[in-house]
């Protein structure tokens, strides 16, 4: 009798600590994936996305977004030595769909943000099934007013392809 088939891994839950997208932390419960998104008051025009490297125990800048309040925001991936690119070149808006857009994680892999039944989802652009690889779940409050009963989070499928592209995934949010 063959051994039982391996159970599929459950989705990873990247939880937001704050409701501000410009100053928050995204992390899993065990902190195996930990991102810090911060806009410093002395640089109000630059938002940095830092990733905690478990091996070196330090924060590494993986992406920067400049000029969110301007007409021409820019992004760059890979730290200080990387080249700036227009945000419109990175996240291409689709006139056919009113919300979302597409971005390339690698040269041959393209993803698309979309909404489905009021949920913000990330799908592979060429997937005919349009199976979501990541899905945003908003926060909930007690009686719609009081403290949060559940923080907002991204539910990310544990596919090696998306786990490798997670830096651009967080930068493309």
């Amino acid at each position: 009798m063959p051994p039982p088939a391996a159970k599929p891994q459950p989705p990873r839950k990247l939880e937001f600590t704050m409701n501000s997208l410009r100053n928050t932390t995204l992390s899993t419960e065990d902190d195996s994936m930990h991102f810090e998104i911060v806009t410093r008051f002395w640089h109000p025009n630059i938002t940095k996305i830092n990733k905690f490297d478990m091996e070196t125990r330090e924060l590494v800048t993986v992406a920067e977004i400049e000029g969110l309040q301007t007409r021409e925001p820019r992004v760059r991936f890979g730290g200080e030595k990387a080249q700036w690119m227009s945000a419109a070149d990175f996240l291409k808006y689709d006139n056919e769909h009113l919300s979302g857009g597409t971005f390339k994680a690698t040269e041959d892999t393209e993803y698309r943000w979309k909404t489905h039944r009021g949920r913000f989802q990330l799908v592979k652009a060429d997937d005919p099934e349009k199976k979501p690889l990541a899905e945003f779940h908003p926060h909930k409050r007690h009686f719609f007013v009081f403290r949060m009963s559940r923080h907002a989070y991204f539910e990310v499928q544990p596919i090696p392809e998306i786990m490798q592209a997670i830096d651009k995934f967080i930068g493309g949010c």
Side-chain angles (χ1 to χ4, degrees):
M1 184 169 181
K7 290 173 63 174
Q9 290 183 343
R12 305 290 302 264
K13 186 176 176 182
L14 281 167
E15 189 170 314
F16 288 88
T17 56
M18 305 285 285
N19 285 336
S20 168
L21 287 178
R22 296 182 67 195
N23 290 302
T24 190
T25 300
L26 268 164
S27 64
T28 57
E29 189 173 292
D30 62 351
D31 280 338
S32 60
M33 292 173 26
H34 184 93
F35 292 91
E36 177 186 81
I37 302 168
V38 62
T39 305
R40 308 272 187 219
F41 71 89
W42 57 86
H43 290 296
N45 202 28
I46 295 179
T47 300
K48 291 190 177 195
I49 301 169
N50 303 313
K51 180 180 182 180
F52 184 70
D53 188 0
M54 295 299 250
E55 293 177 11
T56 61
R57 300 282 187 206
E58 56 186 33
L59 287 171
V60 178
T61 301
V62 293
E64 292 178 276
I65 305 168
E66 181 184 62
L68 284 174
Q69 297 85 9
T70 64
R71 289 184 178 261
E72 292 294 324
R74 305 184 310 166
V75 296
R76 74 175 167 186
F77 296 95
E80 303 261 334
K81 295 178 181 168
Q83 295 292 322
W84 287 99
M85 69 182 342
S86 169
D89 291 339
F90 171 66
L91 187 64
K92 294 180 178 30
Y93 179 72
D94 188 5
N95 288 332
E96 182 181 323
H97 303 93
L98 295 176
S99 62
T102 60
F103 71 96
K104 286 191 174 202
T106 61
E107 284 297 320
D108 56 343
T109 310
E110 189 172 49
Y111 296 99
R112 185 166 69 87
W113 287 110
K114 68 174 197 141
T115 55
H116 180 68
R117 295 185 183 165
R119 295 274 171 125
F120 201 46
Q121 296 178 341
L122 180 74
V123 297
K124 201 167 182 181
D126 58 357
D127 184 17
E129 296 178 18
K130 302 207 183 311
K131 182 180 178 194
L133 301 173
E135 187 171 7
F136 177 73
H137 298 268
H139 71 279
K140 290 190 177 178
R141 294 189 180 273
H142 293 286
F143 300 109
F144 303 104
V145 179
F146 299 115
R147 296 178 60 187
M148 282 191 289
S149 62
R150 185 185 77 193
H151 286 274
Y153 65 94
F154 274 115
E155 188 175 47
V156 181
Q157 299 300 323
I159 301 169
E161 179 181 275
I162 193 75
M163 294 310 222
Q164 291 172 354
I166 198 82
D167 298 340
K168 287 198 176 183
F169 159 73
I170 298 295
C173 291

